Amino acid sequence: MAAVNRSSFTIAKCILVGVEGLEESQMWISIPFCLMFLLALLGNGLLLLVIAKERSLHEPMFLFLAMLAVADVTLCTTTMPKTLGIFWFHAREIAFGSCVTQMFIIHFLFVAESAILLAMAYDRYVAICDPLRYATVLTPSWILRILAAAVVRAFCLMASLTFLLLRLPFCGRNVISHTFCEHMGIVRLACADITLNIWYGLTVALLTTGVDTVLIAVSYALILRAVFRLPSRDARAKALGTCGSHVCVILMFYVPAFFSIFAYRFAANSIPRPAHILLANVFVTVPPMLNPIVYGVKTKQIRECLVQLFWRPGKWR
C-alpha cells in the first residue's frame, strides 16, 4: 500500500489496475490499442507536416484540422504509454501528482477538442451556407480568438475541477480500476462526501461539451438543408458523403465520452467494469486514429499534397 501522509490526508501514489477482470487477456487486448496508437501518431504527424509545409493549406479549415491533430496526438501520448506499460510490464504505480496531472490534461483536451469540433462545424456551415462571407467571417484574427477561447475555457473549468478534487481528504485507498487517471476514479478514493465533485463535474460536461454537441448538430442540420437545395446530384452526393463521415467521427468522439461521464456517476455498479474501461480506451484512441483519415485524406487538397510529399520530394526543399 502506498505511504499515507496522515497530517494532510493525501496519498503518495496510486495503483492503476488495468482492465479489471481481464488481467490474463491484457497482452492480447494491448495489440489493437497499440496499433491504433501508432496509426494515430503517424496519421496526425503526416497531417501536421503537410499543413505546415504547404502554404496553400494555411486556410481556416486546415488550421482547425491542425489544432485537432495536435490535441489528438497529445491525448494519445498522455494515456496510451501508461496503458501499454500496464498491459506489458505490469507498471501499475503512478505518483499521485502525476495522476492528477494526467487527469487534468485528459479532461482539458476533451473540452478543448470539443470546441475545435464546434469551430470546424461552423467553418463548414459558413463555407456551404454563406460562402460569399467566408473570407470576411473566418479571418486569421478570429481563428486566433477561437483558439484562445477554447484554451481559456478548458483551462478555467479544469482548474476549478482540480481544485475541488485536491481539497478532498485521502485516507489511504489508492487503487483505481482503470488504465489511466480519470476524474471520478480519483474522486472515489477520497474519504469524504464527494457529492459536490460529482455534480460539478457533470455540470461542467453538460455546459461545455453538451452545448457544443447541440450546436454541432444544428450546424450540420443547416448544412444538410443547404445541400439538398443544390441543383447538381453529384454535388449533393459529395457533400452528403463528406458530412456523413464527419458525423460518424463526431459520434465516435462524443458517444464513448458521454457514456463514461454518466456511467461513472450513475451506473458504476450496474455496468461491467471491463466494458467501461475498454470503451474509455476506445475514446482516447479511435477518434485520433480516424480524424486524419476522415478530415484529412478524404480532402482533395491534402491528398494531392501527400502524393507530392512522397513522389516529388524536391518540391519541399
Side-chain angles (χ1 to χ4, degrees), residues 83 92 171 274:
T83 297
R92 298 176 175 178
C171 306

Side-chain angles (χ1 to χ4, degrees), residues 182-221:
E182 198 268 347
H183 173 247
M184 288 304 302
I186 304 176
V187 165
R188 292 188 184 280
L189 299 179
C191 50
D193 183 12
I194 60 173
T195 303
L196 175 61
N197 300 77
I198 292 174
W199 286 105
Y200 183 77
L202 181 62
T203 302
V204 166
L206 293 178
L207 290 180
T208 55
T209 53
V211 173
D212 292 347
T213 306
V214 173
L215 294 176
I216 289 171
V218 171
S219 296
Y220 276 101

Side-chain angles (χ1 to χ4, degrees), residues 251-261 279-280 282-283 287:
L251 290 175
M252 284 300 301
F253 175 79
Y254 283 109
V255 171
F258 280 115
F259 175 85
S260 295
I261 290 170
L279 192 60
V282 165
F283 158 64

